[in-house]
Amino acid sequence: MHKMPAMLTVPPKVSFKAQMYQAREAAILASACRLLGEKAFDLMTMDDVANAVGIAKASLYKHFGSKEALCTAAMVQMLGRVQTYLASLPAQTPALEKLHALLRWSLEQLLGNQMPLLPGRHSGLRAVLMANQDYRAGLRALSEQIGAWITEAQAQGLIDPGLPLVVVQYTLYARACDPALCLLKEGGQYSDAEIVELVLRTCFDGLVAR
Amino acid sequence: MHKMPAMLTVPPKVSFKAQMYQAREAAILASACRLLGEKAFDLMTMDDVANAVGIAKASLYKHFGSKEALCTAAMVQMLGRVQTYLASLPAQTPALEKLHALLRWSLEQLLGNQMPLLPGRHSGLRAVLMANQDYRAGLRALSEQIGAWITEAQAQGLIDPGLPLVVVQYTLYARACDPALCLLKEGGQYSDAEIVELVLRTCFDGLVAR
DNA sequence: GTCTATATTTAGATAGAC
DNA sequence: GTCTATCTAAATATAGAC
């Protein structure tokens, strides 16, 4: 039995294999995103990921060379997702509404047990991410986009012009990994949608009465 | 050479030993507080603590039976400290000012690299703390104290009465471990005092212009 | 009670069969 | 490329001398 001509049989087969490979890689990333939403980077193990995906741990390392590489890829993907979402907003949307939409999107991710847009205060992941060029580039692009909207909203007198730009930026970033969300969700007293609106309100309007 | 009469030499000596023991225990707790301000519970090692105090790791375990016990004790001590501070506020201080003072105190702790008043979103410490009766009791007492002030400020129309009590509470709690502080401090653009005032302002007044 | 040295456990990463 | 089995490093905790 000799081999079939390669051109007739192989092209669809390698395509299929490549598809399977990419599908598996996507599944790994998805599991990592979910697990990083449930526990911190340092508490998530590669065994967790392997079990969640349903493959052997060694197979993970054929896709990602290290835990850091996997989680970095997951975070970069997340940055890309938020940028895709932001790009999908109608161009004529007012700047302040875009900021609302951004924060709402981030909070919905958190409540859906997805990984936060930014790593928390002292996550071991932070140093790793900041050493990664792709991540830094994505974060810078996002920051500039948000910064432009903030400046616009300040010029319109909708965001307090007395607040320095970075303060507004970091305040929004911090809300994207806000522990108050978890506490409210654990309380079980409010629906996810109510929690999102309450946190949005405390962020933009503050605690004091108007 | 026979022993001296015990009553003449021992009483001061055991007292001195006890003092040394307690001083060492205080030093261990202080180091733990500082290290927990610099890194997360899961990243802090008992070797870190031992090195910081300048004693052997095994000696730590003569004072605290486990890493969890040590950090729980540190957190309970922290709760006690904030309660002492709150009790020191003049009785006639308006409720809203007391809330300001509480948050300011918490932020100053963070900026001084002290452990946060509450563990972060997914710290491995949280489950341990919540299993500890002393901690739960301290946290409950603090919550009730704060809750009373919030309710009072709402009745005076100073805190938005439309916000549920728990939302205000959790919003304040979340600010006590806010990553925005770290980001602003790393930026090096503002003094600690400025950072505290900026974060207080965004928390109480929100981002939008008045 | 403090130290040095060590036991134990866990998780990141790899070797080698298929 | 995926699996089972294993190596290695690090961190919690302890044993035993002094």
Side-chain angles (χ1 to χ4, degrees), chain A residues 37-38 43 121-122 126 157-158 160 164 170 174-175 178 182 186 190 201 203-210, chain B residues 37-38 42 121-122 126 157-158 160 164 170 174-175 178 182-183 186 190 201 203-210:
Chain A
E38 291 168 5
L43 290 175
R121 216 171 96 79
H122 283 313
R126 266 201 71 195
L158 297 173
D160 184 351
Y170 292 165
R175 293 301 77 72
D178 198 314
C182 292
E186 280 166 20
Y190 301 100
R201 184 168 153 195
C203 177
F204 283 98
D205 293 341
L207 296 177
V208 309
R210 294 267 147 186
Chain B
E38 291 168 4
D42 310 289
R121 215 172 96 79
H122 283 313
R126 267 201 70 195
L158 297 174
D160 184 351
Y170 292 165
R175 292 302 77 71
D178 198 315
C182 293
L183 296 171
E186 280 166 19
Y190 301 100
R201 185 168 152 195
C203 177
F204 283 99
D205 293 340
L207 296 177
V208 309
R210 295 267 147 187

Side-chain angles (χ1 to χ4, degrees), chain B residues 45-46 57 61 67:
Chain B
T45 70
M46 293 297 262
K57 183 166 54 168
Y61 286 89
K67 181 183 176 182

Side-chain angles (χ1 to χ4, degrees), chain A residues 24 28 45-64 70:
Chain A
R24 181 168 282 219
I28 294 172
T45 70
M46 292 298 262
D47 287 281
D48 289 336
V49 180
N51 290 335
V53 181
I55 62 175
K57 182 166 59 168
S59 300
L60 286 182
Y61 285 90
K62 297 290 180 179
H63 292 263
F64 300 96
L70 167 58

Side-chain angles (χ1 to χ4, degrees), chain B residues 71-82:
Chain B
C71 294
T72 300
M75 292 294 280
V76 169
Q77 182 188 248
M78 198 67 171
L79 280 180
R81 237 184 256 158
V82 68

Side-chain angles (χ1 to χ4, degrees), chain B residues 1 7-8 10-11 17 30 65 67 70 96 110 126 139 193 207:
Chain B
M1 207 194 224
M7 289 182 67
L8 290 176
V10 171
K17 274 178 72 173
K67 181 183 176 182
L70 166 58
L96 183 59
L110 280 189
R126 267 201 70 195
L139 191 56
L207 296 177

